[in-house]
Amino acid sequence: MSDRVADTLGTVRRFKLMLIDDDPIFRLGLSTALASFPDLQVVAEADSVADALQTLADGVGTDNAPNLVILELNLGRSNLSLGGSIGLQLCQELKTQFPKLPIFLLSQRLTPEELIAARTLGVEGYCPKGTDLSVLVPALRQVAVGEVCWSELVQTQNDAPVEASDVIQSRSSLLWQIRQSGLRQIDTAIAQVTNQVQNPNLSTLDWFILTGRRRELRTARWLVNQLLPVATTGARNQVAGTGFTDPPEENPNDLLNPPRSGSRDRRSGIPLPTPEPRRRNNPSLDSTLATQSSALSESSILSPLLDATLNKLQFGLKNLTGSPLEIDILLEEKKRELLYLILRKFEDVLEELRFSQLQPEAIALKHSLILRDLWQASTTDFFGKYCTIQVGNLEVDIVNTLLQDATIIQQSFLDKIPLVVEIINYLLFQTPLMIDNVSYSFGTPEARDRAEVILENLLIQIANSVVQPLLNYFADVEAIKQIFYDRRLISSREIARFRNNLSWKYRLERYVGEPTAIFESRYLLLALGGIGIKKISIYAPRTNELQQLRGAQLACTLALETRDAIAPRLRSTVAFLGSGVVYVLTQVIGRGIGLIGRGIIQGIGTTLQETRFGKNGERQK
């Protein structure tokens, strides 16, 4: 036994070990084997990342706190959907949260790339499984006291030296591992800050501090993307252990996207590895799609456009348009929750489209189906927690009932949402946006502002379409009212009045508002204005729609055209007649009245003067 193992009093120093391995039989065998050594005591076991981090966090400051971790680096590799890098992620997490805790890898034979990556992350020791106890136990003691013990580093499984090209490949994959680990740490921090920002009770000062922190994290993420190169495809797959081969066009950033919040472990908060993305079947896919596929990897919920919309959702959502909206019936927090949910669902839709084979021109053919899927997913998730409700003696499935109106919603709401194709192509393929007949390229301030307005209108209109079937089927159900409705609209009379106002609004819009907007070549969009929802008018050529108008809508445009044709002449005639009337009244009648009045006044004045002089004369006599 090494002299460093014994303390100054001559007593044996005890090492408390934690085993992290998803093979329960191996853990049992190793614990039994180490039990014969009095200075090695297994105090904790774990079979997953979450359990390991939770156990270590609970043991901090206690007598059973481990002072050495024995880890299987291939943790979870039996599950192909997880890939093989989960062990390296755990190493990074352990070195971040418990920097003084030594890690000893006891794994199946590892590749040189994995060994280099683990050594770079700070792992202190390694022995392959099957190592004799006479070698393993001294190695464990050596690492436990702070030394480094590696049985091999850059040798292949058959102990043959590694070629120079393999070393270069190892370095490339190592850099990719560091990049991926750093990005996931940053994404975890961003997710935590975003959750804090969403707190409705947050003070204004705290909100500014947290949003500033989030901007700093995004800047750090950008720097990591810029400074750390990406490993080659083959190296990534070798490290990840997936066994897949990427096509040459696959963008490296595709594998670096942060997982969604739903894929984060609930207890540890670290992101779990995402399933391998669907591979394209066409290796000769258009170069535009290949080169622009990285656009969305940076335009997820962290992108400036979607993030600006998210920030606006934190403020007031009062309806400032002067016309009722379906979402007006919701509580403020429910309204915000619905809009935020739709934003996340839209983000998921964009990611699905990014990995599909759709070309930009195909979006125009598929946009109705895309919106329908977005509406269905948003409806399901928003009402998922309350999927059944008691109506009388019946147990009614809310979601299935609401989704029955899919065709009506498609025709009345979804198909009428403008500029959907433009915003999807803008985000997916960085196509320019036409603003007042001028093309603005991706990323320009004008294009960003217009895209932001289009996106906000899309969210609000989808939200209206989610609430509309609820008003048809469950408008006056008490359980729904108590959970979702604004307290000012909770009575049966107010609900009936609200529905009637919506009905008259759509009649007016159908026969007057919509044909007027088409005739005037403009769209009326709903946007988030900081303090509430406002209406914005933008120019857009709508000649094709104008030619398709029929019936009352066509009559409305003809009435507008007639008014435009007659009104100027009528105004000119009225103005001319008005001028004549004014002339007659002022110059003729007015002057005549003025002369008469002047004569009367003069006569009265003369009479008064004569009367006064007459009286004075009598006095002199």
Side-chain angles (χ1 to χ4, degrees), residues 74 265 300 310 397 430 512:
N74 294 326
D265 186 84
S300 61
L310 177 62
D397 190 322
Q430 300 183 2
V512 179

Side-chain angles (χ1 to χ4, degrees), residues 153-196:
L153 182 58
V154 286
Q155 290 184 332
T156 59
Q157 293 186 10
N158 58 5
D159 295 331
V162 180
E163 299 294 336
S165 59
D166 295 332
V167 175
I168 296 175
Q169 184 81 347
S170 301
R171 293 174 180 173
S172 178
S173 62
L174 173 60
L175 290 176
W176 181 81
Q177 288 291 338
I178 296 174
R179 172 193 173 106
Q180 184 184 42
S181 176
L183 289 175
R184 285 177 174 169
Q185 279 191 301
I186 295 173
D187 290 335
T188 301
I190 291 176
Q192 294 173 351
V193 174
T194 301
N195 290 333
Q196 294 174 351

